[in-house]
Amino acid sequence: MRTYILYGFGILLCLSGVGYLAAEYVKYLSEPGKLACLMLMVGMFALLGRYFKEIGW
Amino acid sequence: MRRNLFLYLAIACFAALIAIFIVDGYLGIYDTTYVTAGEREQTIEADYWLRYPPSETAKMTYQVSAEWGQKVFFRYEIDNRRFSTYSTLVQASVWQENEKVLDLFSEEESIGPFDKAMVEWTLSTQDLEKAGFGVDERTQYTVKISHGEVERRIVVDLRYPREVEPTPPR
């Protein structure tokens, strides 16, 4: 149980770190670049969702 | 096999996302200003102006202090991180209360792909005096630097030096 709490804590820290860096760095992107990133992100999450569905999650 | 395809495509999307961050974040026209007043050089990196959205960049200023009588030296570097040549007219002028006081610099520059160009000029208080401008105790002038659609504003805060009593020799 304690291990899972630590995993969860680590994952949260990683996500918040990546989120913070992305929010800082996204200012330097052009408008078409931001749009492309948004579309790729939607595609990435959709594909990951399909993958997890396929493996039976 | 099919489920792995979704995973590979998701990884490809992630890689493309990172590639956009690197390429789009790196490519472009970047400028760095070096201002030397007195013995102190200040560097204004492109990051300073990019911290705010483009709509607010024009309102942003950077402040530099100097004493009346001192010269303020400017070096302006344009970094062309594009695949094409960047040709532009680089201009620098002094403004006060929305009126142009003095032209400092004007030159056509053509910068090759992934190359840099450096231009220099000096703000002299003697030139301001000749143009009929002076300083009370403290006066501010704005140095506007422009090229293409870019405009940078540097506020030069000029103070009149305090009278210093000469120290008698021992």
Side-chain angles (χ1 to χ4, degrees), chain B residues 79-134:
Chain B
D79 188 2
N80 178 20
R81 295 184 202 160
R82 295 195 314 187
F83 294 98
S84 57
T85 301
Y86 179 62
S87 297
T88 185
L89 178 68
V90 185
Q91 288 180 305
S93 50
V94 183
W95 293 67
Q96 193 181 47
E97 291 172 3
N98 254 352
E99 276 185 39
K100 193 192 268 191
V101 175
L102 194 67
D103 276 316
L104 290 172
F105 180 86
S106 179
E107 198 173 283
E108 194 74 44
E109 289 291 330
S110 184
I111 310 158
F114 296 97
D115 201 3
K116 291 177 184 180
M118 175 84 85
V119 291
E120 293 180 29
W121 64 85
T122 307
L123 170 63
S124 159
T125 50
Q126 287 174 337
D127 292 339
L128 288 173
E129 271 174 11
K130 279 181 201 162
F133 288 84

Side-chain angles (χ1 to χ4, degrees), chain A residues 35-54:
Chain A
L35 182 65
C37 280
L38 180 70
M39 290 169 79
L40 281 169
M41 201 133 69
V42 170
M44 187 178 76
F45 283 120
L47 288 163
L48 270 180
R50 284 297 298 269
Y51 170 71
F52 285 123
K53 194 182 164 191
E54 290 284 323

Side-chain angles (χ1 to χ4, degrees), chain A residues 21-23 25-34 36-41 43-45 47-48 50-51 54-55, chain B residues 2-7 9-14 16-17 20-22 24-27 30 46-47 50-52 54:
Chain A
L21 287 176
Y25 201 64
V26 82
K27 292 174 198 163
Y28 302 106
L29 297 183
S30 63
E31 292 303 316
K34 283 178 194 166
C37 280
L38 180 70
M39 290 169 79
L40 281 169
M41 201 133 69
M44 187 178 76
F45 283 120
L47 288 163
L48 270 180
R50 284 297 298 269
Y51 170 71
E54 290 284 323
I55 61 169
Chain B
R2 189 164 166 253
R3 69 182 180 196
N4 281 347
L5 180 70
F6 291 128
L7 182 63
L9 284 173
I11 292 169
C13 280
F14 181 72
L17 208 76
I20 287 176
F21 265 62
I22 293 167
D24 196 22
Y26 177 76
L27 294 181
Y30 294 88
D47 281 8
L50 292 171
R51 275 185 290 176
Y52 297 92

